[in-house]
Amino acid sequence: MPSTFNYDFSGHGWEGKTSFNTGLFIGGKFVDGVEGKTIDVFNPTTGQEICKVSEGGAKDIDLAVQAAHKAYNESWGMKVPPTQRAKLLLNLADLIDKHSDELAALESLDNGKAFAIAKKVDVCGAASVFRYYAGWCDKNGGKVIEVDEIWMLSWKLGPALATGNVVVLKPSEFTPLTALRTAQLIQEAGFPPGVVNIVTGYGNTAGAAISSHMEIEKVAFTGSTVVGRYIMKAAAESNLKSKYADPHLFFLQLIGMVVTDVTLELGGKSPNIICDDADLDQAVKWSAFGIFFNHGQCCCAGSRVYVQEDIYDKFMQKFTDHIKTLKVGDPFHKETFQGPQVSKIQFDRIMGYIEKGKQEGATVLMGGEQHGTEGYFIQPTVFTDVKPNMTIVKDEIFGPVVVVSKFKNDEEIIATSNDSMYGLAAAIFSQNISRAIKLANALHAGTVWVNQYNTLHESVPFGGFKQSGIGRELGEYALANYTNVKSIHVNLTKEL
């Protein structure tokens, strides 16, 4: 039998307890993996093991696929009216709100995100996404045409369930706890067994099995561009999973390793442009939020900051002064803004990029070292004197590291900003709205913010250009990822 995770958060900022099963969630039940293996889950704040969760592999994915097909054919899909799907999604949203402190605490425990931010942004945002897609359940039924002759887990689950799909979900092996607790809430909300299946496992086993599975017709993935390429390749070599595949079986992998229908929300190296007519105080605060939110582990992080040369010195003074006020530490402390990186692997990867930046001649204006001696904390790091061909300017670092450069005019900054294989997001700070809109239209990015950063809404689509992904999350656009267009011609009057 799978183990039960029990944890007392007393003294951590939330005085509560949690208890839930750590098995694979298949067919409405928690079960051990076929091979009986487990995954160690660590607290990035201390580097110590929290618990073990069941490890799923290819055989477990097969069982989850079978359970999903059974649910679709017997108790979901066309068997459940849209109004009932809406009711269940609203039930789930209410339960997420009810347990918001517990879910935020779990996010902080295995992810390292500041508790206050996890609750306000991630948990409350997830509830809002489920409510939003509940409203779409009975409004996405296609059209009758008279002629002569349909904040990460909720982004995928919301539209997929609203459109009547069944789901096999693989969360990141680094941060599985919230997904497993949500499985219990899905049960409590009243979803039929097998509609949502959650298989914890590694990308090169469970993830690979999903991306090449012959009976999975659609996959959505959030993660790196490198892994996205592997998923596209595996999809093409299996059953040609495509955006308009036929069945309703859907797989989701949240940030970690692998994906397949192929909707991909991938990496970014997003430019943040500070014009000479910007409100500097606001630009400073939003720019810091844009890069150091979630410890820089944000696909749309504003990791390339470009400042118009006339205001560069003034901006940099204010920027560094503000960064010094950001509290790095225990995510359960109320004043903490930046917690630890999610894992030792990610910590080492980021520190490697910092060393690479130094070797290539960039200047570390501040930070550049480990913060403290325990856990996976990294000081907020600012590089200057960078050149376009430097690794830290081109690569997605996915950490609290920003490069800052000068620019002369709008024509130059458009070319510089677009000189990237990525195109996920960008931002412009200017009090001249006409100038800002002109720049926004010229940037090759799926999302452009004006005088703000990292603000997302469930009704507004999100996704990238170029190698930052395929398809869109959120909003009405996301529904197209989980539906197919089908034409039925009925002859009522014509005779041969």
Side-chain angles (χ1 to χ4, degrees), residues 217-236:
E217 302 291 341
K218 156 73 184 176
V219 172
F221 171 66
T222 297
S224 73
T225 298
V226 172
V227 175
R229 292 194 190 103
Y230 284 116
I231 289 162
M232 291 281 287
K233 184 174 184 290

Side-chain angles (χ1 to χ4, degrees), residues 92 96 126 129-130 151-159 169 171 178-180 182 186 198 252 254:
L92 181 56
I96 289 173
V129 170
F130 283 124
W151 267 166
M152 285 294 116
L153 180 148
S154 63
W155 287 24
K156 287 10 180 230
L157 282 184
L169 182 150
T178 308
L180 292 173
T182 302
I186 289 169
I198 298 176
L252 158 66
L254 295 179

Side-chain angles (χ1 to χ4, degrees), residues 91-109:
N91 287 349
L92 181 56
D94 289 343
L95 286 168
I96 289 173
D97 281 341
K98 179 180 178 181
H99 297 280
S100 60
D101 284 332
E102 178 188 1
L103 294 169
L106 288 170
E107 283 284 285
S108 298
L109 186 64

